[in-house]
Coordinates of all heavy atoms in Angstrom, one line a residue:
M886 N 0.9 -1.2 0.0 CA 0.0 0.0 0.0 C 0.9 1.2 0.0 O 1.9 1.3 0.7 CB -0.9 0.0 1.2 CG -1.7 1.2 1.4 SD -2.7 1.3 2.9 CE -3.9 0.0 2.5
S887 N 0.5 2.2 -0.8 CA 1.3 3.4 -0.9 C 1.1 4.2 0.4 O 0.1 4.0 1.1 CB 0.9 4.2 -2.1 OG -0.4 4.8 -1.9
L888 N 2.0 5.1 0.6 CA 1.9 6.0 1.8 C 0.6 6.9 1.7 O -0.1 7.0 2.7 CB 3.1 6.9 1.9 CG 3.2 7.7 3.1 CD1 3.2 6.9 4.4 CD2 4.5 8.6 3.1
L889 N 0.3 7.3 0.5 CA -1.0 8.1 0.4 C -2.2 7.3 0.6 O -3.2 7.7 1.2 CB -1.0 8.8 -1.0 CG -2.1 9.8 -1.3 CD1 -2.1 10.9 -0.3 CD2 -2.0 10.3 -2.7
G890 N -2.2 6.0 0.1 CA -3.3 5.1 0.4 C -3.5 4.8 1.9 O -4.6 4.8 2.4
H891 N -2.3 4.7 2.6 CA -2.4 4.4 4.0 C -2.9 5.6 4.7 O -3.8 5.5 5.6 CB -1.0 4.1 4.5 CG -0.9 3.8 6.0 ND1 -1.5 2.8 6.6 CD2 -0.2 4.5 7.0 CE1 -1.3 2.8 7.9 NE2 -0.5 3.8 8.1
F892 N -2.5 6.8 4.3 CA -3.0 8.1 4.9 C -4.5 8.2 4.7 O -5.3 8.5 5.6 CB -2.3 9.2 4.2 CG -2.7 10.6 4.7 CD1 -2.2 11.1 5.9 CD2 -3.6 11.4 4.0 CE1 -2.6 12.3 6.4 CE2 -4.0 12.6 4.4 CZ -3.5 13.1 5.6
D893 N -5.0 7.9 3.5 CA -6.4 8.0 3.2 C -7.2 7.0 4.0 O -8.3 7.3 4.6 CB -6.7 7.8 1.7 CG -6.3 8.9 0.9 OD1 -6.1 10.0 1.4 OD2 -6.1 8.7 -0.4
R894 N -6.7 5.8 4.2 CA -7.3 4.7 5.0 C -7.4 5.1 6.4 O -8.5 4.9 7.1 CB -6.6 3.4 4.8 CG -7.3 2.2 5.5 CD -6.4 0.9 5.4 NE -5.2 1.0 6.2 CZ -5.2 0.9 7.5 NH1 -6.2 0.6 8.2 NH2 -4.0 0.9 8.1
L895 N -6.4 5.7 7.0 CA -6.4 6.2 8.3 C -7.4 7.3 8.6 O -8.1 7.3 9.6 CB -5.0 6.7 8.8 CG -3.9 5.7 9.0 CD1 -2.6 6.3 9.2 CD2 -4.3 4.8 10.2
Q896 N -7.5 8.2 7.6 CA -8.5 9.3 7.8 C -9.9 8.7 7.7 O -10.7 9.1 8.5 CB -8.3 10.3 6.6 CG -7.1 11.2 6.9 CD -7.1 12.3 5.9 OE1 -7.2 12.1 4.7 NE2 -6.9 13.5 6.4
A897 N -10.1 7.8 6.8 CA -11.5 7.2 6.7 C -11.8 6.4 8.0 O -12.9 6.5 8.5 CB -11.5 6.2 5.5
L898 N -10.8 5.7 8.5 CA -11.1 4.9 9.8 C -11.4 5.9 10.9 O -12.3 5.6 11.7 CB -9.9 4.0 10.1 CG -9.9 3.2 11.4 CD1 -11.1 2.3 11.3 CD2 -8.6 2.4 11.5
R899 N -10.6 6.9 11.0 CA -10.8 7.9 12.1 C -12.2 8.5 12.0 O -12.9 8.6 13.0 CB -9.8 9.0 12.1 CG -10.0 10.0 13.2 CD -9.0 11.1 13.2 NE -9.1 11.9 11.9 CZ -8.3 12.9 11.6 NH1 -7.3 13.2 12.3 NH2 -8.5 13.5 10.5
D900 N -12.6 8.8 10.7 CA -14.0 9.4 10.5 C -15.1 8.4 10.9 O -16.1 8.8 11.6 CB -14.1 9.8 9.1 CG -13.3 11.0 8.6 OD1 -12.8 11.7 9.5 OD2 -13.1 11.2 7.4
Q901 N -14.9 7.2 10.6 CA -15.8 6.1 11.0 C -15.9 6.0 12.5 O -17.1 5.9 13.1 CB -15.5 4.8 10.4 CG -15.7 4.7 8.9 CD -15.1 3.4 8.3 OE1 -14.5 2.6 9.0 NE2 -15.3 3.3 7.0
L902 N -14.8 6.0 13.2 CA -14.8 5.8 14.6 C -15.4 7.1 15.3 O -16.1 6.9 16.3 CB -13.4 5.6 15.2 CG -12.7 4.3 14.7 CD1 -11.3 4.2 15.2 CD2 -13.6 3.1 15.2
E903 N -15.1 8.2 14.8 CA -15.7 9.5 15.3 C -17.2 9.5 15.1 O -18.0 9.9 16.0 CB -15.1 10.7 14.7 CG -13.7 11.0 15.2 CD -13.0 12.1 14.5 OE1 -13.4 12.5 13.4 OE2 -12.0 12.6 15.1
A904 N -17.7 9.0 14.0 CA -19.1 8.9 13.7 C -19.8 7.9 14.7 O -20.9 8.2 15.2 CB -19.4 8.4 12.3
K905 N -19.1 6.8 15.0 CA -19.6 5.8 16.0 C -19.7 6.5 17.4 O -20.7 6.3 18.1 CB -18.7 4.6 16.0 CG -19.2 3.5 16.9 CD -18.3 2.3 16.8 CE -18.8 1.1 17.6 NZ -17.9 0.0 17.5
L906 N -18.8 7.3 17.7 CA -18.8 8.0 19.0 C -19.9 9.0 19.0 O -20.6 9.1 20.0 CB -17.4 8.6 19.2 CG -17.1 9.0 20.7 CD1 -17.1 7.9 21.6 CD2 -15.7 9.6 20.7
D907 N -20.1 9.7 17.9 CA -21.2 10.7 17.8 C -22.6 10.0 18.0 O -23.4 10.5 18.6 CB -21.1 11.4 16.5 CG -20.0 12.4 16.4 OD1 -19.4 12.7 17.4 OD2 -19.6 12.8 15.3
L908 N -22.7 8.8 17.4 CA -24.0 8.1 17.5 C -24.2 7.7 18.9 O -25.4 7.8 19.4 CB -24.0 6.9 16.6 CG -24.2 7.1 15.1 CD1 -24.0 5.8 14.4 CD2 -25.5 7.7 14.8
D909 N -23.2 7.3 19.6 CA -23.3 7.0 21.0 C -23.7 8.2 21.9 O -24.5 8.1 22.7 CB -22.1 6.3 21.6 CG -22.3 5.7 23.0 OD1 -23.1 4.8 23.1 OD2 -21.7 6.2 23.9
D910 N -23.1 9.3 21.5 CA -23.4 10.6 22.2 C -24.8 10.9 22.1 O -25.5 11.5 23.0 CB -22.5 11.7 21.7 CG -21.1 11.6 22.2 OD1 -20.8 10.9 23.1 OD2 -20.2 12.3 21.5
A911 N -25.4 10.6 20.9 CA -26.8 10.9 20.6 C -27.8 9.9 21.2 O -29.0 10.1 21.1 CB -27.0 11.1 19.1
G912 N -27.2 8.9 21.8 CA -28.1 7.9 22.4 C -28.5 6.7 21.5 O -29.4 5.9 21.9
F913 N -27.8 6.6 20.4 CA -28.2 5.5 19.4 C -27.4 4.2 19.7 O -27.5 3.3 18.9 CB -28.1 6.0 18.0 CG -29.0 7.0 17.6 CD1 -28.6 8.3 17.4 CD2 -30.4 6.7 17.5 CE1 -29.6 9.3 17.1 CE2 -31.3 7.7 17.1 CZ -30.9 9.0 16.9
S914 N -26.5 4.2 20.6 CA -25.7 3.1 20.9 C -25.6 2.9 22.4 O -25.7 3.9 23.1 CB -24.3 3.3 20.3 OG -23.4 2.2 20.6
G915 N -25.3 1.7 22.8 CA -25.3 1.5 24.3 C -23.9 1.2 24.7 O -23.7 0.3 25.5
M916 N -22.9 1.9 24.2 CA -21.5 1.6 24.6 C -21.3 2.0 26.1 O -21.8 3.0 26.6 CB -20.5 2.5 23.8 CG -20.1 1.9 22.5 SD -18.7 2.8 21.8 CE -19.5 4.2 21.1
G917 N -20.6 1.2 26.7 CA -20.2 1.4 28.1 C -19.0 2.4 28.2 O -18.4 2.7 27.2
Y918 N -18.7 2.7 29.5 CA -17.6 3.6 29.7 C -16.3 3.1 29.1 O -15.5 3.8 28.4 CB -17.4 3.8 31.2 CG -16.1 4.5 31.6 CD1 -16.1 5.9 31.4 CD2 -15.0 3.9 32.0 CE1 -14.9 6.6 31.7 CE2 -13.8 4.5 32.3 CZ -13.8 5.9 32.1 OH -12.6 6.6 32.4
R919 N -16.0 1.8 29.3 CA -14.7 1.3 28.8 C -14.6 1.3 27.3 O -13.6 1.6 26.7 CB -14.5 -0.1 29.3 CG -14.1 -0.1 30.8 CD -13.7 -1.5 31.3 NE -13.3 -1.4 32.7 CZ -13.3 -2.4 33.5 NH1 -13.8 -3.6 33.1 NH2 -12.9 -2.3 34.7
A920 N -15.7 0.9 26.7 CA -15.8 0.9 25.2 C -15.6 2.3 24.6 O -14.8 2.5 23.7 CB -17.1 0.3 24.7
R921 N -16.2 3.3 25.3 CA -16.0 4.7 24.8 C -14.6 5.2 25.0 O -14.0 5.8 24.2 CB -17.0 5.6 25.6 CG -18.4 5.5 25.2 CD -19.3 6.4 25.9 NE -19.0 7.8 25.8 CZ -19.2 8.5 24.7 NH1 -19.8 8.0 23.6 NH2 -18.8 9.8 24.6
R922 N -14.0 4.8 26.2 CA -12.7 5.2 26.5 C -11.7 4.5 25.5 O -10.8 5.2 24.9 CB -12.3 4.7 27.9 CG -10.9 5.1 28.3 CD -10.4 4.3 29.5 NE -10.4 2.9 29.2 CZ -10.4 2.0 30.1 NH1 -10.5 2.2 31.4 NH2 -10.4 0.7 29.7
D923 N -11.9 3.3 25.2 CA -11.1 2.6 24.2 C -11.2 3.2 22.8 O -10.2 3.3 22.1 CB -11.4 1.1 24.2 CG -11.0 0.4 25.4 OD1 -10.3 0.9 26.3 OD2 -11.5 -0.8 25.6
L924 N -12.4 3.5 22.5 CA -12.7 4.1 21.2 C -12.0 5.5 21.1 O -11.3 5.8 20.1 CB -14.2 4.3 20.9 CG -14.6 4.7 19.5 CD1 -14.1 3.8 18.4 CD2 -16.1 4.8 19.5
R925 N -12.1 6.3 22.1 CA -11.4 7.6 22.1 C -9.9 7.4 22.0 O -9.2 8.2 21.4 CB -11.8 8.4 23.4 CG -13.2 9.0 23.3 CD -13.4 10.1 24.4 NE -13.3 9.5 25.7 CZ -14.3 9.0 26.4 NH1 -15.5 8.9 25.9 NH2 -14.1 8.5 27.6
Q926 N -9.4 6.4 22.7 CA -7.9 6.1 22.7 C -7.5 5.8 21.3 O -6.5 6.2 20.8 CB -7.6 5.0 23.7 CG -6.1 4.7 23.6 CD -5.2 5.8 24.0 OE1 -5.5 6.6 24.9 NE2 -4.0 5.8 23.4
R927 N -8.3 4.9 20.6 CA -7.9 4.5 19.2 C -8.0 5.7 18.3 O -7.1 5.9 17.4 CB -8.9 3.4 18.8 CG -8.6 2.9 17.4 CD -7.2 2.1 17.4 NE -6.9 1.7 16.1 CZ -5.8 2.0 15.4 NH1 -4.8 2.6 16.0 NH2 -5.6 1.6 14.2
I928 N -9.0 6.6 18.4 CA -9.1 7.8 17.6 C -7.8 8.7 17.8 O -7.3 9.2 16.9 CB -10.4 8.6 17.9 CG1 -11.6 7.8 17.4 CG2 -10.3 10.0 17.3 CD1 -12.9 8.3 17.9
S929 N -7.4 8.8 19.1 CA -6.2 9.6 19.4 C -5.0 9.0 18.7 O -4.2 9.7 18.2 CB -6.1 9.6 20.9 OG -4.9 10.3 21.2
E930 N -4.8 7.7 18.8 CA -3.7 7.0 18.2 C -3.7 7.2 16.7 O -2.6 7.5 16.1 CB -3.7 5.5 18.5 CG -3.4 5.2 19.9 CD -3.8 3.7 20.3 OE1 -4.3 3.0 19.4 OE2 -3.6 3.3 21.4
I931 N -4.8 7.1 16.0 CA -4.9 7.3 14.6 C -4.6 8.8 14.2 O -3.9 9.0 13.3 CB -6.3 6.9 14.1 CG1 -6.5 5.4 14.2 CG2 -6.5 7.3 12.6 CD1 -7.9 4.9 14.0
S932 N -5.1 9.7 15.0 CA -4.8 11.1 14.8 C -3.3 11.4 14.9 O -2.8 12.2 14.1 CB -5.6 12.0 15.8 OG -7.0 11.9 15.6
Q933 N -2.7 10.8 15.9 CA -1.2 11.0 16.0 C -0.5 10.4 14.8 O 0.5 11.1 14.3 CB -0.7 10.3 17.3 CG -1.2 11.0 18.6 CD -0.8 10.3 19.8 OE1 -0.2 9.2 19.8 NE2 -1.2 10.8 21.0
E934 N -0.9 9.3 14.3 CA -0.3 8.7 13.1 C -0.5 9.6 11.9 O 0.4 9.8 11.1 CB -0.8 7.3 12.9 CG 0.0 6.6 11.8 CD -0.3 5.1 11.7 OE1 -1.0 4.6 12.6 OE2 0.2 4.5 10.7
I935 N -1.7 10.1 11.8 CA -2.0 11.0 10.7 C -1.1 12.3 10.8 O -0.5 12.7 9.8 CB -3.5 11.4 10.6 CG1 -4.3 10.2 10.2 CG2 -3.7 12.6 9.7 CD1 -5.8 10.4 10.3
S936 N -1.0 12.8 11.9 CA -0.2 14.0 12.1 C 1.3 13.7 11.8 O 2.0 14.6 11.2 CB -0.2 14.5 13.6 OG -1.5 15.0 13.9
A937 N 1.8 12.6 12.2 CA 3.2 12.2 11.9 C 3.4 12.1 10.4 O 4.4 12.5 9.8 CB 3.5 10.9 12.6
L938 N 2.4 11.5 9.7 CA 2.5 11.4 8.2 C 2.5 12.8 7.6 O 3.2 13.1 6.6 CB 1.3 10.6 7.7 CG 1.4 9.1 7.9 CD1 0.1 8.4 7.5 CD2 2.6 8.5 7.2
Q939 N 1.6 13.7 8.1 CA 1.5 15.0 7.5 C 2.8 15.8 7.7 O 3.2 16.7 6.9 CB 0.4 15.8 8.2 CG -1.0 15.3 7.7 CD -2.1 16.0 8.5 OE1 -2.0 16.2 9.6 NE2 -3.2 16.2 7.8
R940 N 3.6 15.5 8.8 CA 4.8 16.2 9.1 C 6.0 15.6 8.3 O 7.1 16.2 8.2 CB 5.2 16.1 10.6 CG 4.3 17.0 11.4 CD 4.8 17.1 12.8 NE 5.0 15.8 13.5 CZ 4.0 15.2 14.2 NH1 2.9 15.7 14.4 NH2 4.3 14.0 14.7
S941 N 5.8 14.4 7.7 CA 6.8 13.8 7.0 C 7.2 14.5 5.7 O 6.4 15.3 5.2 CB 6.4 12.3 6.6 OG 5.5 12.3 5.6
R942 N 8.3 14.3 5.1 CA 8.7 14.9 3.9 C 7.8 14.6 2.7 O 7.7 15.4 1.8 CB 10.2 14.4 3.5 CG 11.2 15.0 4.4 CD 12.5 14.6 4.0 NE 13.5 15.0 4.9 CZ 14.8 15.0 4.7 NH1 15.3 14.5 3.6 NH2 15.7 15.4 5.6
Y943 N 7.1 13.5 2.8 CA 6.3 13.1 1.7 C 5.2 14.1 1.5 O 4.7 14.3 0.3 CB 5.7 11.7 2.0 CG 4.8 11.1 0.9 CD1 5.4 10.5 -0.3 CD2 3.5 11.2 0.9 CE1 4.7 10.0 -1.3 CE2 2.7 10.7 -0.1 CZ 3.3 10.1 -1.2 OH 2.5 9.6 -2.2
F944 N 4.7 14.7 2.5 CA 3.6 15.6 2.4 C 4.0 17.1 2.3 O 3.2 18.0 2.3 CB 2.6 15.5 3.6 CG 1.8 14.2 3.5 CD1 2.2 13.1 4.1 CD2 0.6 14.2 2.7 CE1 1.4 11.9 3.9 CE2 -0.1 13.1 2.6 CZ 0.2 11.9 3.2
E945 N 5.3 17.4 2.3 CA 5.8 18.7 2.2 C 5.6 19.2 0.8 O 5.8 18.5 -0.2 CB 7.3 18.8 2.6 CG 7.5 18.6 4.1 CD 9.0 18.7 4.5 OE1 9.8 18.9 3.6 OE2 9.2 18.6 5.7
S946 N 5.3 20.4 0.6 CA 5.1 21.0 -0.7 C 6.4 21.5 -1.3 O 7.2 22.0 -0.7 CB 4.1 22.2 -0.7 OG 2.9 21.7 -0.2

């Protein structure tokens, strides 16, 4: 997988996880505290990886 493909996949995954969290916030899901905490942690990890990719030379103009 290319770096750009990996970047796009990470962004899509983060968006999906954030949408899942939003649905739970709206009361459409019955996630417990631990599941929400784990989901927020995973979103944070993905965001950090996206930030690292954006800072890499590959994304410099």
Side-chain angles (χ1 to χ4, degrees):
M886 174 182 289
S887 71
L888 188 58
L889 187 55
H891 181 63
F892 180 80
D893 289 340
R894 186 183 66 81
L895 286 173
Q896 284 187 312
L898 179 58
R899 182 182 62 186
D900 291 346
Q901 290 171 355
L902 295 177
E903 287 175 340
K905 185 175 181 178
L906 198 56
D907 289 344
L908 285 173
D909 189 64
D910 288 343
F913 293 108
S914 176
M916 275 194 280
Y918 171 78
R919 286 185 177 157
R921 289 181 57 76
R922 181 194 64 202
D923 292 347
L924 189 57
R925 283 192 301 269
Q926 177 62 35
R927 184 66 183 126
I928 291 169
S929 176
E930 291 167 357
I931 292 169
S932 294
Q933 289 173 0
E934 189 170 349
I935 288 171
S936 293
L938 287 172
Q939 289 173 325
R940 288 189 307 268
S941 73
R942 289 184 184 192
Y943 184 80
F944 285 95
E945 289 179 1
S946 301

